[in-house]
């Protein structure tokens, strides 16, 4: 079923907490010994009825772990585990008359089957996007049992694919809740500044549109924004939609959202008996030649890349507190922008950034060696992109949808990515589209960006690692050629250092090496024509199975400006100084 936007605004029961779990290495809870799906699987939550009954599992005798949370950091046996784990939780409930019950998961990594009271409720693929299942007819009076089978094995045809430079944290990594919605409810709505065609004329303004879960005409939807004295009732058409309509606001009345003034308006949306609340900001984002314009003014994106890991130690982050700490460090650096790499982060992260005045680049995990010719892989990427946009398209701080990172050039890849870019544009043409590209060739210190995807993106972004994957002394000699009349973002640069390791500036892994690398890169960046922003790699050391050097990496990518325990390295202050002067 389609994702319900702003689902957190509906009345709900949280199912976060302790869930029993069973590690099922060979998936014997799902397949029989001939590898056929078995009707006697763990989802039945069976218990012996007679003394002679043979049942070789018991959720209630199995350990528990906290949900939301990854399994890798909650059970040391599962640190490197990639496979299937079953989860079970029960709760008391009285079925509701005239309301629907949706079971909502903020994200489950990666492949997930859900059963309610022994009956299959749904299946979802993709580790970082939310989904909701209609379980109204599966719920019973009294004790109800939810069982979830989660499998985080990597696959060549998946998004992401077999290799990626971050930890493949498995489990129910974001919130779970049971949501009460009326039989007819607002599935999606948009209240944003847009350019829309009205009677063949482009008009700019605040536009409102909405869609119900049912294609029914005649339902009233009332939008109110008290502070702007907006109160307007619309009626749905036969598709159950309120088609995009311009909202009249006295000019000069609206305070635009910006990093200096992250103004959000309280918004209420009434449909039938139910009123939803949201906080929405208004701003414009566009490009002019090589400039990025926020609210019509050129802006330099002072950014940092962030992985969704807890601020202290590893493990998936999933709370307002985690978001505040990570984004607080970004603010301390002087950032007005973050690249949330390499997958959609939790709604906490996006909403906190919005309140703090931080612009966001949001990305899907279309990373490195994707199976470009596989239609199912394309469909998977497209669904992840759709759900990312669906969840967050009312967030003023999101300015860029990114469709990929460092993908190898080929006609098949161009075909795949150009279709994704077009899809993003049809879903939301009020934001900029980008992707992290690579710079090819560097003979005679000439770095030339050449990527067929240039015509599909609004902002040309690329990653470069001078000083890390090539000599730092090249930085000063480097000449950059970006032959497109579009803004340029350096979406990554950086190098590793172990916090507390000191030495000469040419000694790898020392804080001084990283500090020098930042100084040299910054001097180089200042000379790039049309540079509109940067998001160095990366705010904090993060876990990666590819980073195995003992004593230095110990399964952490050490390119953080902050260590895995929250200590600031010397390079942090170099970037801070640069941003403060920008
Ligand atoms: C990259 C990738 C990023 C890696 C980083 C690195 O280019 O986009 O995911 O973690 O380099 O540390 O090498």
């Amino acid at each position: 079923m389609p994702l319900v936007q702003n689902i957190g605004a509906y009345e709900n029961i949280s199912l976060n907490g302790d869930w029993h779990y069973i590690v099922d290495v060979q998936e014997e809870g799902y397949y029989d010994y001939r590898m056929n799906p078995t009707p006697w699987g763990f989802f039945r939550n069976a218990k012996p009825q007679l003394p002679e009954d043979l049942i070789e599992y018991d959720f209630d005798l199995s350990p528990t772990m906290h949900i939301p949370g990854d399994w890798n950091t909650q059970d040391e046996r599962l640190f490197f585990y990639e496979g299937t784990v079953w989860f079970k939780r029960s709760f008391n409930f009285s079925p509701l008359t005239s309301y629907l019950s949706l079971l909502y998961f903020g994200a489950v990594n990666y492949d997930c089957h859900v059963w309610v009271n022994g009956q299959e409720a749904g299946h979802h693929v993709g580790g970082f996007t939310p989904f909701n299942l209609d379980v109204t007819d599966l719920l019973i009076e009294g004790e109800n049992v939810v069982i979830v089978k989660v499998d985080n094995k990597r696959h060549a045809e998946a998004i992401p694919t077999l290799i990626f430079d971050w930890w493949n944290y498995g489990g129910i990594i974001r919130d779970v809740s049971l949501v009460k919605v009326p039989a007819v409810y607002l599935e999606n709505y948009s209240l944003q500044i847009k350019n829309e065609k009205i009677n063949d004329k482009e008009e700019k303004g605040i536009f409102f549109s909405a869609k119900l879960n049912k294609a029914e005409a005649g339902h009233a939807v009332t939008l109110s924004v008290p502070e702007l004295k907006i109160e307007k009732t619309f009626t749905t058409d036969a598709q159950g939609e309120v088609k995009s309509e311009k909202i009249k606001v006295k000019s000069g009345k609206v305070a635009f959202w910006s990093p200096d003034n992250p103004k959000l308006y309280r918004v209420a949306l009434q449909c039938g008996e139910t009123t939803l609340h949201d906080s929405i900001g208004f701003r414009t984002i566009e490009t002019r030649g090589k400039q990025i314009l926020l609210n019509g003014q050129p802006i330099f994106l002072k950014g940092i890349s962030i992985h969704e890991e807890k601020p202290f130690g590893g493990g998936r982050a999933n709370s307002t507190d985690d978001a505040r700490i990570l984004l607080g460090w970004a603010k301390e650096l002087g950032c007005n922008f973050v690249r949330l790499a390499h997958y959609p982060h939790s709604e906490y992260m996006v909403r906190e950034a919005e309140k703090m005045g931080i612009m966001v680049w949001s990305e899907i995990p279309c990373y490195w060696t994707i199976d470009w010719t596989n239609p199912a892989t394309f469909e998977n990427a497209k669904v992840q992109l759709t759900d990312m946009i669906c969840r967050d398209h009312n967030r003023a701080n999101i300015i860029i949808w990114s469709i990929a990172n460092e993908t190898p050039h080929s006609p098949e890849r161009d075909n795949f990515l150009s279709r994704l870019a077009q899809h993003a544009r049809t879903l939301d043409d009020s934001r900029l589209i980008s992707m992290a590209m690579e710079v090819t060739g560097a003979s005679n210190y000439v770095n030339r960006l050449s990527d067929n995807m240039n015509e599909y993106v609004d902002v040309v972004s690329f990653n470069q690692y001078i000083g890390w994957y090539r000599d730092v002394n090249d930085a000063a000699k480097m000449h950059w050629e970006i032959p497109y009349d579009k803004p340029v973002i350096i979406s990554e640069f950086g190098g590793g250092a172990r916090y507390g390791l000191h030495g000469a500036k040419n000694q790898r892994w020392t804080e001084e090496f990283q500090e020098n690398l930042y100084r040299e890169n910054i001097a180089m960046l200042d000379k790039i024509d049309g540079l509109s922003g940067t998001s160095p790699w990366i705010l904090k050391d993060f876990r990666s199975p590819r980073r195995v050097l003992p004593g230095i990496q110990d399964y952490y990518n050490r390119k953080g400006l902050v260590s895995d325990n929250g200590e600031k390295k010397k390079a942090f202050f170099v970037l801070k100084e640069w941003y403060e002067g920008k």
Side-chain angles (χ1 to χ4, degrees):
M1 71 182 294
L3 190 61
V4 182
Q5 194 216 333
N6 194 15
I7 199 165
Y10 286 96
E11 201 181 316
N12 64 70
I13 302 169
S14 169
L15 296 181
N16 291 349
D18 289 340
W19 290 54
H20 287 283
Y21 68 98
I22 299 175
V23 181
D24 186 10
V25 176
Q26 297 197 1
E27 301 200 292
E28 70 137 336
Y30 193 73
Y31 297 108
D32 66 16
Y33 78 132
R34 297 291 183 250
M35 274 303 282
N36 296 313
T38 168
W40 307 105
F42 290 0
F43 47 86
R44 292 175 79 99
N45 188 32
K47 302 280 177 192
Q49 303 298 318
L50 301 167
E52 62 269 33
D53 282 353
L54 173 66
I55 294 171
E56 293 182 276
Y57 69 96
D58 190 327
F59 277 104
D60 300 316
L61 295 177
S62 302
T64 60
M65 75 167 73
H66 186 76
I67 299 302
D70 60 86
W71 64 55
N72 314 72
T73 57
Q74 296 196 69
D75 178 339
E76 63 184 32
R77 297 171 307 165
L78 301 182
F79 184 63
F80 288 107
Y81 184 66
E82 297 184 303
T84 287
V85 177
W86 293 79
F87 293 90
K88 179 233 160 187
R89 128 143 227 184
S90 45
F91 61 94
N92 280 316
F93 193 69
S94 280
L96 308 159
T97 47
S98 74
Y99 280 91
L100 303 175
S101 293
L102 309 185
L103 187 56
Y104 168 80
F105 292 85
V108 180
N109 190 36
Y110 170 83
D111 180 297
C112 147
H113 288 265
V114 181
W115 292 265
V116 173
N117 298 321
Q119 288 182 268
E120 177 133 31
H123 176 220
H124 183 263
V125 168
F128 302 97
T129 38
F131 58 98
N132 37 249
L133 309 167
D134 185 351
V135 296
T136 314
D137 297 336
L138 307 181
L139 294 170
I140 53 171
E141 184 69 42
E143 197 194 27
N144 286 264
V145 176
V146 181
I147 289 182
V148 182
K149 170 184 177 289
V150 185
D151 180 357
N152 73 334
K153 283 194 285 299
R154 289 164 291 116
H155 296 283
E157 67 281 7
I159 304 279
T161 177
L162 286 172
I163 50 168
F164 44 91
D165 190 20
W166 67 85
W167 208 263
N168 186 21
Y169 291 114
I172 305 175
I173 57 170
R174 294 189 192 146
D175 299 346
V176 191
S177 57
L178 189 66
V179 184
K180 176 182 167 186
V181 293
V184 177
Y185 60 88
L186 263 186
E187 188 177 278
N188 210 318
Y189 57 87
S190 165
L191 184 66
Q192 290 281 287
I193 295 186
K194 288 187 175 164
N195 285 325
E196 297 255 330
K197 271 221 168 93
I198 301 183
N199 304 328
D200 273 349
K201 248 185 70 198
E202 274 276 296
E203 290 211 25
K204 184 182 252 173
I206 298 179
F207 283 82
F208 176 71
S209 62
K211 184 178 181 304
L212 304 178
N213 62 319
K214 289 206 173 126
E216 285 181 5
H219 290 278
V221 176
T222 302
L223 163 73
S224 53
V225 188
E227 220 183 310
L228 292 174
K229 303 209 168 29
I230 296 171
E231 166 108 27
K232 196 163 181 212
T233 300
F234 306 85
T235 309
T236 59
D237 62 15
Q239 286 88 49
E241 290 179 22
V242 174
K243 294 270 154 45
S244 200
E245 271 203 39
K246 192 169 173 181
I247 307 294
K248 283 204 189 80
V249 192
K250 279 210 188 100
S251 67
K253 267 258 156 143
V254 181
F256 287 122
W257 182 96
S258 73
D260 295 333
N261 178 28
K263 170 71 187 166
L264 299 175
Y265 289 93
R266 295 292 295 155
V267 171
L269 290 154
Q270 197 194 339
C271 177
E273 311 274 271
T274 311
T275 304
L276 288 186
H277 295 279
D278 205 343
S279 299
I280 293 186
F282 303 104
R283 56 98 192 91
T284 61
I285 189 80
E286 50 205 333
T287 65
R288 185 174 60 204
K290 286 185 178 273
Q291 290 179 320
I292 294 178
L293 309 180
L294 177 74
N295 300 325
Q297 299 300 318
I299 187 157
F300 186 82
L301 305 179
K302 296 183 264 184
I304 189 75
S305 296
I306 306 183
H307 260 298
E308 190 170 53
E309 269 197 12
K310 286 198 192 317
F312 305 104
R316 277 274 167 254
N318 181 60
S319 70
T320 302
D321 286 349
D322 290 338
R324 279 199 192 130
I325 297 171
L326 294 167
L327 295 166
W329 287 332
K331 272 264 169 195
E332 215 182 310
L333 266 176
C335 293
N336 59 14
F337 172 66
V338 290
R339 175 180 180 208
L340 300 183
H342 280 299
Y343 38 77
H345 287 211
S346 77
E347 228 176 315
Y348 293 116
M349 196 67 177
V350 176
R351 285 191 184 260
E352 281 312 301
E354 188 178 46
K355 287 185 210 151
M356 292 166 78
I358 300 177
M359 293 175 278
V360 164
W361 157 311
S362 185
E363 179 165 308
I364 53 166
C366 212
Y367 182 99
W368 291 354
T369 62
I370 296 296
D371 187 359
W372 305 114
T373 53
N374 185 330
T377 304
F378 178 77
E379 204 42 43
N380 182 348
K382 188 174 164 191
V383 170
Q384 294 194 41
L385 179 65
T386 308
D387 290 344
M388 170 174 82
I389 295 177
C390 173
R391 193 192 74 180
D392 287 343
H393 66 83
N394 282 317
R395 302 282 70 80
N397 61 331
I398 298 199
I399 56 165
I400 294 173
W401 299 125
S402 164
I403 55 170
N405 179 77
E406 284 186 357
T407 48
H409 295 192
S410 73
E412 293 75 21
R413 167 270 204 181
D414 292 350
N415 178 293
F416 187 109
L417 292 182
S418 58
R419 285 186 294 145
L420 275 190
Q422 279 154 349
H423 179 63
R425 231 178 260 293
T426 51
L427 292 176
D428 179 10
D429 61 2
S430 71
R431 287 181 175 77
L432 309 176
I433 291 173
S434 196
M435 57 186 266
M437 300 171 173
E438 286 175 317
V439 174
T440 39
S443 56
N444 302 325
Y445 301 106
V446 174
N447 263 326
R448 191 178 165 80
L449 183 62
S450 167
D451 191 318
N452 294 335
M453 283 300 296
N454 77 81
E455 60 179 286
Y456 297 95
V457 296
D458 302 300
V459 176
V460 186
S461 309
F462 61 89
N463 303 343
Q464 65 81 16
Y465 278 91
I466 292 175
W468 191 252
Y469 296 122
R470 62 176 292 175
D471 190 353
V472 74
N473 299 310
D474 289 352
K477 303 175 205 152
M478 212 47 95
H479 179 72
W480 293 87
E481 281 184 15
I482 298 140
Y484 313 118
D485 187 29
K486 295 193 174 179
V488 177
I489 294 179
I490 310 281
S491 33
E492 289 178 29
F493 73 88
R498 170 122 206 178
Y499 173 77
L501 190 68
H502 295 285
K505 67 179 185 185
N506 67 346
Q507 194 190 329
R508 216 173 264 266
W509 305 114
T510 61
E511 286 192 45
E512 287 72 14
F513 187 101
Q514 190 191 37
E515 182 187 35
N516 181 51
L517 181 152
Y518 266 76
R519 283 199 200 291
E520 292 296 325
N521 269 273
I522 284 169
M524 181 186 74
L525 296 189
D526 269 333
K527 290 187 266 170
I528 297 181
D529 175 40
L531 188 74
S532 284
T534 180
S535 48
W537 196 252
I538 186 171
L539 181 67
K540 197 200 78 122
D541 290 353
F542 61 97
R543 281 211 167 99
S544 167
R546 302 172 69 85
R547 309 295 174 173
V548 299
L549 184 63
I552 297 287
Q553 293 177 311
D554 302 314
Y555 296 101
Y556 274 98
N557 183 316
R558 294 289 180 199
K559 297 190 187 71
L561 293 175
V562 173
S563 77
D564 53 305
N565 285 318
E567 298 125 327
K568 294 180 184 105
K569 304 178 194 171
K570 290 182 130 194
F572 183 98
F573 301 97
V574 177
L575 186 64
K576 181 175 160 72
E577 194 188 336
W578 187 51
Y579 280 164
E580 280 169 357
K582 273 256 159 214

